């Protein structure tokens, strides 16, 4: 069975606990944002892009000029977004396990609300629809900024230093997930070639490799993004949890428990005895979610299936040459020198 193709505006409000608005209205707001910032963006450093023709540098990182996650929406988020102390933010670079961490955090936080597995929201909606980006929220005509009473779950790809000031100032929690750069690169090339504007040529492996090594990737440089959150997690260990995709794959059960502890909702002995942890691991597994996302689209229109490819650690070796792998390892060793970041 796969997901239906229609949009689920009303039910999504129920699922996310946020006031999910009209997608057409959000599209119109997005167009206004692109228009408002296009003059400013034109003066920024520019490189050949991935999803869009070009990427532009804003606050030391590369962003698209259009799309939901773009310079304009980051700027508007910085201007308008209001964090609440009970909020939880899931942060990743694209292709580092966003879909998976969204599913896991959603399932953990909502486990008493959605106990019936066959009708669980994660089996009805793509995890991207269950956990909106900060950028989705600033597009809404009626954002939920004032609702401080319930836990809000958001995602973002923003670098640490670009997060809206209210997130830095609040006691909200941040979960950061990173993934080894070789698998991120391979995943990114495959993804981009599936969804890139049709008017643009495919990105070749060699071209993608060169751009990525130069630091030109969506929200990259990859290494600066990881380092920003890693260092922040050392400084604020109770507020920022640093996870890796590889470690999550190696021992999903222990990491799910660790995540629940960090989110302030540890599993009770009774839940553990009933196998609730295993149920969540299975519900969010690559196989389960990819089977349910073979058709249909997410709210923003991308096909559900493009978020599921191999879901493995080390698939890079089937695509990159040995030499490419070595070069990326050398850059990573040099950039992460002195930091305890291993994959
Ligand atoms: P996004 O940032 O654009 O949302 P993201 O979810 O981070 O993408 O990346 C997709 C990757 O996560 C894919 O990796 P691959 O290309 O190497 O295969 C995808 O297969 C993988 N993925 C998606 N869901 C899961 C899951 N439930 N468990 C493990 N990996 C997953």
């Amino acid at each position: 069975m796969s997901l239906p193709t229609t949009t689920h505006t009303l039910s999504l409000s129920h699922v996310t606990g946020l006031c999910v608005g009209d997608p057409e209205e959000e599209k119109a707001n997005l167009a206004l944002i692109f228009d408002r910032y296009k003059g400013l963006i034109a003066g920024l450093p520019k490189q050949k892009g991935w999803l869009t023709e070009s990427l532009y540098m804003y606050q030391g990182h590369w962003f698209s000029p259009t799309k939901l996650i773009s310079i304009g929406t980051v700027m508007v988020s910085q201007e308008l977004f209001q964090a609440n102390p009970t909020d939880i933010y899931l942060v990743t670079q694209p292709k580092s396990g966003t879909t998976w961490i969204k599913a896991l955090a959603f399932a953990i936080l909502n486990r008493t609300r959605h106990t019936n597995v066959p009708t669980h929201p994660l089996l009805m909606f793509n995890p991207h629809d269950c956990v909106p980006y900060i950028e989705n929220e600033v597009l809404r005509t009626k954002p939920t900024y004032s609702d401080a009473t319930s836990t809000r779950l958001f995602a973002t790809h923003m670098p640490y230093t670009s997060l809206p000031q209210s997130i830095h100032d609040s006691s909200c929690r941040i979960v950061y997930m990173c993934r080894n750069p070789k698998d991120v690169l391979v995943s990114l090339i495959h993804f981009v070639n599936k969804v890139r504007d049709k008017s643009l040529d495919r990105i070749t492996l060699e071209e993608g490799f060169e751009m990525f090594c130069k630091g030109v990737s969506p929200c990259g440089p990859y290494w600066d993004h990881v380092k920003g959150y890693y260092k922040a997690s050392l400084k604020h260990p109770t507020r920022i949890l640093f996870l890796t995709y590889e470690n999550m794959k190696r021992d999903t059960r222990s990491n799910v428990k660790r995540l629940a502890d960090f989110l302030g909702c540890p599993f009770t002995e009774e839940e553990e005895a009933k196998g609730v942890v295993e149920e969540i691991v299975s519900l969010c597994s690559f196989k389960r979610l990819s089977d349910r996302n073979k058709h249909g689209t997410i709210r923003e229109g991308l096909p559900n299936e493009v978020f599921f490819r191999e879901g493995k650690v080390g698939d890079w070796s089937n695509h990159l040459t040995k030499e490419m792998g070595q070069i990326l390892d050398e850059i990573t060793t040099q950039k992460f020198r002195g930091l305890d970041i291993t994959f």
Side-chain angles (χ1 to χ4, degrees), residues 134-189:
I134 289 174
E135 290 85 348
N136 292 113
E137 187 68 2
V138 291
L139 294 177
R140 302 197 202 299
T141 306
K142 286 195 196 116
T144 56
Y145 301 147
S146 56
D147 179 14
T149 52
S150 60
T151 300
R152 300 184 308 172
L153 183 58
F154 287 113
T156 184
H157 291 317
M158 278 184 237
Y160 186 68
T161 44
S162 292
L163 287 175
Q165 190 56 38
S166 69
I167 296 185
H168 288 295
D169 294 343
S170 144
S171 53
C172 59
R173 273 163 286 192
I174 295 174
V175 177
Y176 185 76
M177 167 105 108
C178 70
R179 185 182 190 188
N180 98 62
K182 294 175 284 188
D183 281 337
V184 170
L185 168 62
V186 166
S187 185
L188 185 61
I189 293 174

Side-chain angles (χ1 to χ4, degrees), residues 94-99 128 179 187 245 284 286 307 309-311:
K95 306 301 133 200
S96 298
T98 322
T99 314
H128 285 282
R179 185 182 190 188
S187 185
Y245 180 96
C284 301
F286 178 82
F307 296 97
R309 194 181 59 91
E310 293 283 333

